[in-house]
Amino acid sequence: MTEELHDVRLTVNGHAHEIRVPARRLLSDALRHDLRLTGTHVGCEHGVCGACTILVDGAPMRSCLMFAVAAEGSEITTVEGLANPDGSLGPVQQAFVECHGLQCGFCTPGFLTTITAGLRDNPTPTHEEARDMIAGNLCRCTGYQNIVRAVERAAELGAT
């Protein structure tokens, strides 16, 4: 028996894409395998680690917990869509570079999208609010201090 496929139109980073997927195809898999946008990483596949976080209509969402068919009609932003229009680093990305906010880089896409949304909601976070902003994302390398500094630096750079 073959699995029924569904035509889905996804708007990702401002571009429309037509794909044909099974109803149970995770959005993370559709982004990575069907659209070849491999910046979204899949860590735990249970929504716990935050590595797969993307923005859906501007809100952080774990793409490993969402079906691709459910994203139809939404505006999706992946880490690839955070750069400036000229291709230069966006403010959150630049802050990560300046503050050494990454080591292995596996968790970085999820942090970048989470922080982008967080700074949109709170453009001038206190130190504690910066810590709270990233509390749902896990990193096994950095110890978080430089990531918190990157949140604060991105706020200085005007990352809204």
PDB file of all heavy atoms in Angstrom, residues 118-119 122-131 133 148 151-152 154-156:
ATOM      1  N   GLY A 118      12.434  36.676  19.981  1.00  0.00           N
ATOM      2  CA  GLY A 118      12.455  37.235  21.320  1.00  0.00           C
ATOM      3  C   GLY A 118      12.743  38.724  21.325  1.00  0.00           C
ATOM      4  O   GLY A 118      12.109  39.490  22.062  1.00  0.00           O
ATOM      5  N   LEU A 119      13.684  39.143  20.491  1.00  0.00           N
ATOM      6  CA  LEU A 119      14.027  40.568  20.426  1.00  0.00           C
ATOM      7  C   LEU A 119      12.958  41.381  19.708  1.00  0.00           C
ATOM      8  O   LEU A 119      12.838  42.580  19.946  1.00  0.00           O
ATOM      9  CB  LEU A 119      15.394  40.759  19.776  1.00  0.00           C
ATOM     10  CG  LEU A 119      16.570  40.292  20.627  1.00  0.00           C
ATOM     11  CD1 LEU A 119      17.876  40.404  19.850  1.00  0.00           C
ATOM     12  CD2 LEU A 119      16.650  41.062  21.937  1.00  0.00           C
ATOM     13  N   ASN A 122      10.713  41.841  22.660  1.00  0.00           N
ATOM     14  CA  ASN A 122      11.346  42.602  23.743  1.00  0.00           C
ATOM     15  C   ASN A 122      12.693  43.114  23.234  1.00  0.00           C
ATOM     16  O   ASN A 122      13.723  42.470  23.443  1.00  0.00           O
ATOM     17  CB  ASN A 122      11.524  41.708  24.978  1.00  0.00           C
ATOM     18  CG  ASN A 122      12.160  42.441  26.138  1.00  0.00           C
ATOM     19  OD1 ASN A 122      12.452  43.629  26.065  1.00  0.00           O
ATOM     20  ND2 ASN A 122      12.390  41.724  27.225  1.00  0.00           N
ATOM     21  N   PRO A 123      12.715  44.265  22.580  1.00  0.00           N
ATOM     22  CA  PRO A 123      13.949  44.748  21.944  1.00  0.00           C
ATOM     23  C   PRO A 123      15.045  45.206  22.909  1.00  0.00           C
ATOM     24  O   PRO A 123      16.188  45.371  22.490  1.00  0.00           O
ATOM     25  CB  PRO A 123      13.480  45.907  21.072  1.00  0.00           C
ATOM     26  CG  PRO A 123      12.117  46.251  21.519  1.00  0.00           C
ATOM     27  CD  PRO A 123      11.561  45.089  22.254  1.00  0.00           C
ATOM     28  N   THR A 124      14.716  45.399  24.179  1.00  0.00           N
ATOM     29  CA  THR A 124      15.727  45.828  25.151  1.00  0.00           C
ATOM     30  C   THR A 124      15.654  44.956  26.405  1.00  0.00           C
ATOM     31  O   THR A 124      15.289  45.438  27.487  1.00  0.00           O
ATOM     32  CB  THR A 124      15.546  47.314  25.519  1.00  0.00           C
ATOM     33  OG1 THR A 124      14.210  47.505  25.992  1.00  0.00           O
ATOM     34  CG2 THR A 124      15.808  48.219  24.327  1.00  0.00           C
ATOM     35  N   PRO A 125      16.017  43.696  26.283  1.00  0.00           N
ATOM     36  CA  PRO A 125      15.892  42.804  27.436  1.00  0.00           C
ATOM     37  C   PRO A 125      16.943  43.097  28.506  1.00  0.00           C
ATOM     38  O   PRO A 125      18.064  43.512  28.198  1.00  0.00           O
ATOM     39  CB  PRO A 125      16.120  41.416  26.831  1.00  0.00           C
ATOM     40  CG  PRO A 125      17.032  41.673  25.668  1.00  0.00           C
ATOM     41  CD  PRO A 125      16.587  43.013  25.127  1.00  0.00           C
ATOM     42  N   THR A 126      16.554  42.868  29.754  1.00  0.00           N
ATOM     43  CA  THR A 126      17.526  42.876  30.839  1.00  0.00           C
ATOM     44  C   THR A 126      18.374  41.612  30.720  1.00  0.00           C
ATOM     45  O   THR A 126      18.059  40.717  29.924  1.00  0.00           O
ATOM     46  CB  THR A 126      16.816  42.878  32.207  1.00  0.00           C
ATOM     47  OG1 THR A 126      16.108  41.627  32.347  1.00  0.00           O
ATOM     48  CG2 THR A 126      15.856  44.059  32.357  1.00  0.00           C
ATOM     49  N   HIS A 127      19.396  41.513  31.550  1.00  0.00           N
ATOM     50  CA  HIS A 127      20.236  40.317  31.536  1.00  0.00           C
ATOM     51  C   HIS A 127      19.394  39.071  31.845  1.00  0.00           C
ATOM     52  O   HIS A 127      19.526  38.041  31.168  1.00  0.00           O
ATOM     53  CB  HIS A 127      21.380  40.466  32.542  1.00  0.00           C
ATOM     54  CG  HIS A 127      22.341  39.333  32.529  1.00  0.00           C
ATOM     55  ND1 HIS A 127      23.273  39.168  31.519  1.00  0.00           N
ATOM     56  CD2 HIS A 127      22.513  38.292  33.384  1.00  0.00           C
ATOM     57  CE1 HIS A 127      23.976  38.067  31.756  1.00  0.00           C
ATOM     58  NE2 HIS A 127      23.540  37.518  32.882  1.00  0.00           N
ATOM     59  N   GLU A 128      18.536  39.174  32.841  1.00  0.00           N
ATOM     60  CA  GLU A 128      17.675  38.034  33.203  1.00  0.00           C
ATOM     61  C   GLU A 128      16.694  37.700  32.079  1.00  0.00           C
ATOM     62  O   GLU A 128      16.430  36.528  31.806  1.00  0.00           O
ATOM     63  CB  GLU A 128      16.929  38.294  34.513  1.00  0.00           C
ATOM     64  CG  GLU A 128      17.783  38.106  35.740  1.00  0.00           C
ATOM     65  CD  GLU A 128      18.441  36.725  35.812  1.00  0.00           C
ATOM     66  OE1 GLU A 128      17.737  35.702  35.653  1.00  0.00           O
ATOM     67  OE2 GLU A 128      19.668  36.671  36.013  1.00  0.00           O
ATOM     68  N   GLU A 129      16.140  38.714  31.428  1.00  0.00           N
ATOM     69  CA  GLU A 129      15.220  38.461  30.312  1.00  0.00           C
ATOM     70  C   GLU A 129      15.950  37.822  29.141  1.00  0.00           C
ATOM     71  O   GLU A 129      15.383  36.969  28.444  1.00  0.00           O
ATOM     72  CB  GLU A 129      14.548  39.766  29.885  1.00  0.00           C
ATOM     73  CG  GLU A 129      13.553  40.281  30.905  1.00  0.00           C
ATOM     74  CD  GLU A 129      13.082  41.696  30.630  1.00  0.00           C
ATOM     75  OE1 GLU A 129      13.813  42.479  29.978  1.00  0.00           O
ATOM     76  OE2 GLU A 129      11.962  42.019  31.075  1.00  0.00           O
ATOM     77  N   ALA A 130      17.200  38.211  28.921  1.00  0.00           N
ATOM     78  CA  ALA A 130      18.007  37.578  27.865  1.00  0.00           C
ATOM     79  C   ALA A 130      18.216  36.103  28.181  1.00  0.00           C
ATOM     80  O   ALA A 130      18.115  35.246  27.295  1.00  0.00           O
ATOM     81  CB  ALA A 130      19.339  38.298  27.707  1.00  0.00           C
ATOM     82  N   ARG A 131      18.485  35.795  29.447  1.00  0.00           N
ATOM     83  CA  ARG A 131      18.646  34.394  29.860  1.00  0.00           C
ATOM     84  C   ARG A 131      17.344  33.624  29.664  1.00  0.00           C
ATOM     85  O   ARG A 131      17.345  32.503  29.167  1.00  0.00           O
ATOM     86  CB  ARG A 131      19.096  34.309  31.320  1.00  0.00           C
ATOM     87  CG  ARG A 131      20.530  34.718  31.549  1.00  0.00           C
ATOM     88  CD  ARG A 131      20.880  34.747  33.033  1.00  0.00           C
ATOM     89  NE  ARG A 131      20.542  33.514  33.717  1.00  0.00           N
ATOM     90  CZ  ARG A 131      21.346  32.471  33.852  1.00  0.00           C
ATOM     91  NH1 ARG A 131      22.555  32.511  33.342  1.00  0.00           N
ATOM     92  NH2 ARG A 131      20.956  31.392  34.502  1.00  0.00           N
ATOM     93  N   MET A 133      15.011  34.286  27.585  1.00  0.00           N
ATOM     94  CA  MET A 133      14.703  34.207  26.160  1.00  0.00           C
ATOM     95  C   MET A 133      15.250  32.922  25.537  1.00  0.00           C
ATOM     96  O   MET A 133      14.640  32.348  24.638  1.00  0.00           O
ATOM     97  CB  MET A 133      15.298  35.435  25.464  1.00  0.00           C
ATOM     98  CG  MET A 133      14.839  35.671  24.064  1.00  0.00           C
ATOM     99  SD  MET A 133      15.604  37.158  23.359  1.00  0.00           S
ATOM    100  CE  MET A 133      14.847  38.451  24.331  1.00  0.00           C
ATOM    101  N   VAL A 148      24.096  34.462  25.946  1.00  0.00           N
ATOM    102  CA  VAL A 148      23.392  35.570  26.612  1.00  0.00           C
ATOM    103  C   VAL A 148      24.026  36.897  26.207  1.00  0.00           C
ATOM    104  O   VAL A 148      23.320  37.867  25.909  1.00  0.00           O
ATOM    105  CB  VAL A 148      23.393  35.391  28.147  1.00  0.00           C
ATOM    106  CG1 VAL A 148      22.811  36.619  28.844  1.00  0.00           C
ATOM    107  CG2 VAL A 148      22.610  34.139  28.532  1.00  0.00           C
ATOM    108  N   VAL A 151      22.728  37.830  22.870  1.00  0.00           N
ATOM    109  CA  VAL A 151      21.381  38.399  22.924  1.00  0.00           C
ATOM    110  C   VAL A 151      21.481  39.883  23.251  1.00  0.00           C
ATOM    111  O   VAL A 151      20.863  40.737  22.589  1.00  0.00           O
ATOM    112  CB  VAL A 151      20.494  37.684  23.974  1.00  0.00           C
ATOM    113  CG1 VAL A 151      19.156  38.410  24.136  1.00  0.00           C
ATOM    114  CG2 VAL A 151      20.270  36.228  23.604  1.00  0.00           C
ATOM    115  N   GLU A 152      22.268  40.206  24.251  1.00  0.00           N
ATOM    116  CA  GLU A 152      22.438  41.604  24.662  1.00  0.00           C
ATOM    117  C   GLU A 152      23.073  42.439  23.558  1.00  0.00           C
ATOM    118  O   GLU A 152      22.658  43.574  23.304  1.00  0.00           O
ATOM    119  CB  GLU A 152      23.249  41.673  25.959  1.00  0.00           C
ATOM    120  CG  GLU A 152      22.529  41.019  27.120  1.00  0.00           C
ATOM    121  CD  GLU A 152      23.387  40.768  28.346  1.00  0.00           C
ATOM    122  OE1 GLU A 152      24.621  40.658  28.215  1.00  0.00           O
ATOM    123  OE2 GLU A 152      22.801  40.676  29.442  1.00  0.00           O
ATOM    124  N   ALA A 154      22.975  41.765  20.291  1.00  0.00           N
ATOM    125  CA  ALA A 154      21.997  41.886  19.204  1.00  0.00           C
ATOM    126  C   ALA A 154      20.998  42.980  19.518  1.00  0.00           C
ATOM    127  O   ALA A 154      20.584  43.740  18.627  1.00  0.00           O
ATOM    128  CB  ALA A 154      21.300  40.551  18.969  1.00  0.00           C
ATOM    129  N   ALA A 155      20.608  43.104  20.776  1.00  0.00           N
ATOM    130  CA  ALA A 155      19.697  44.185  21.182  1.00  0.00           C
ATOM    131  C   ALA A 155      20.353  45.540  20.936  1.00  0.00           C
ATOM    132  O   ALA A 155      19.705  46.476  20.439  1.00  0.00           O
ATOM    133  CB  ALA A 155      19.293  44.027  22.648  1.00  0.00           C
ATOM    134  N   GLU A 156      21.648  45.648  21.241  1.00  0.00           N
ATOM    135  CA  GLU A 156      22.386  46.887  20.969  1.00  0.00           C
ATOM    136  C   GLU A 156      22.424  47.202  19.483  1.00  0.00           C
ATOM    137  O   GLU A 156      22.365  48.356  19.085  1.00  0.00           O
ATOM    138  CB  GLU A 156      23.818  46.775  21.501  1.00  0.00           C
ATOM    139  CG  GLU A 156      23.950  46.743  22.993  1.00  0.00           C
ATOM    140  CD  GLU A 156      25.375  46.421  23.435  1.00  0.00           C
ATOM    141  OE1 GLU A 156      26.278  46.304  22.570  1.00  0.00           O
ATOM    142  OE2 GLU A 156      25.579  46.257  24.655  1.00  0.00           O
TER     143      GLU A 156
END
